[in-house]
Amino acid sequence: MPYDPSAFPPFAVTVDLVVLTVRRHALCALAVRRGEPPFQGRWALPGGFVRADEDLSQAAARELAEETGLRAHEPAVPVQDNGAHLEQLATYGDPKRDPRMRVVSVAHLALAPDLPAPRAGGDASNARWAPVEELLQRGGYGRDGEPVAPLAFDHAQILADGVERARSKIEYSSLATAFCPTEFTVGELRRVYEAVWGVALDPRNFHRKVTGTPGFLVPTGGTTTRQGGRPAQLFRAGGATLLNPPMLRPEV
């Protein structure tokens, strides 16, 4: 029998982005309010359909650039100015996840230092950074008197999976430095861990652990007073990608 493409149901592939940053000492995710159906008016993760001439990583990098102006870096490449760590998170393919047609989404996780206010684009009528704890509240999310509603599609599950990926990976990898500027203090790095894990850490123990882990941090030779008080030593990310011993997450 000759191949008849019309005999098969419509099928599409999208990429969704869990873009995380630390703002005002809180772990925040980029959320967009949908300007078109389905789920018009609901908050969602940024993303879109994969174009015919794109592979998945290209589509994710394009969406990241369109939504944040950031360039994507491979996981093994140190993050540079205007860059973000980008890695594939998971694939979501429930047949009913999108009311338009059968849509499989390949979600990606992006991490970057404190980012400016986002700009809405595509079919998004508004965009903002929101604390992940607010986005993942059981009743849903709303702001400025809006009705509270769950995130569109299955984005609450995707966001929860992305947050847990970030929380677990900073235990055994140097990924936490992706939330920091090129040069940072141990105190700034500690606040990243505290924001991502949602716990308070002992400053002295933390300083001893991170400076004593081979390849984690490299002194730059400079200092800063941007935190107030005495000058604090500046570091940059070292060459290590895996931490030995790991930075175990405290039990809450």
Side-chain angles (χ1 to χ4, degrees):
M1 294 291 291
Y3 172 69
D4 179 10
S6 66
F8 298 88
F11 190 96
V13 178
T14 61
V15 290
D16 287 310
L17 298 178
V18 178
V19 186
L20 300 178
T21 193
V22 175
R23 290 171 61 86
R24 301 181 182 90
H25 308 307
L27 182 64
C28 295
L30 181 60
V32 297
R33 186 157 62 177
R34 292 186 57 79
E36 299 176 1
F39 303 107
Q40 185 173 8
R42 295 261 288 273
W43 289 91
L45 298 176
F49 287 95
V50 178
R51 295 173 180 172
D53 59 347
E54 291 179 318
D55 64 22
L56 294 173
S57 60
Q58 290 171 334
R62 173 180 54 79
E63 288 288 344
L64 180 67
E66 290 176 355
E67 297 288 352
T68 67
L70 294 171
R71 298 191 310 269
H73 288 264
E74 295 297 324
V77 178
V79 176
Q80 303 173 2
D81 290 343
N82 199 38
H85 170 92
L86 181 67
E87 65 177 68
Q88 195 171 121
L89 174 62
T91 302
Y92 301 83
D94 188 299
K96 298 181 180 180
R97 65 178 303 275
D98 192 315
R100 293 169 292 190
M101 66 176 80
R102 181 70 189 273
V103 176
V104 171
S105 179
V106 182
H108 289 70
L109 175 65
L111 310 177
D114 187 9
L115 297 173
R119 60 183 184 276
D123 65 351
S125 62
N126 196 0
R128 75 180 305 254
W129 294 106
V132 295
E133 298 300 332
E134 294 182 12
L135 290 171
L136 293 174
Q137 290 180 117
R138 180 170 297 181
Y141 177 72
R143 61 177 296 231
D144 301 334
E146 298 172 346
V148 174
L151 298 182
F153 305 104
D154 51 359
H155 287 185
Q157 182 62 57
I158 296 175
L159 175 59
D161 291 345
V163 170
E164 180 53 35
R165 168 75 67 86
R167 286 173 173 166
S168 62
K169 284 196 74 170
I170 66 172
E171 290 187 283
Y172 62 84
S173 78
S174 58
L175 190 62
T177 59
F179 288 104
C180 296
T182 305
E183 296 185 353
F184 52 88
T185 68
V186 170
E188 289 169 337
L189 180 63
R190 173 172 52 83
R191 280 188 282 275
V192 166
Y193 274 90
E194 291 177 334
V196 175
W197 283 344
V199 298
L201 300 173
D202 180 82
R204 291 186 178 181
N205 288 341
F206 181 84
H207 191 285
R208 185 177 65 253
K209 287 181 180 179
V210 297
T211 57
T213 301
F216 191 7
L217 304 181
V218 176
T220 66
T223 60
T224 180
T225 57
R226 62 184 176 227
Q227 297 174 273
R230 294 181 298 175
Q233 188 176 8
L234 286 168
F235 295 84
R236 60 176 173 83
T241 55
L242 297 178
L243 304 183
N244 186 21
M247 294 282 296
L248 297 180
R249 192 184 339 179
E251 295 184 5
V252 180

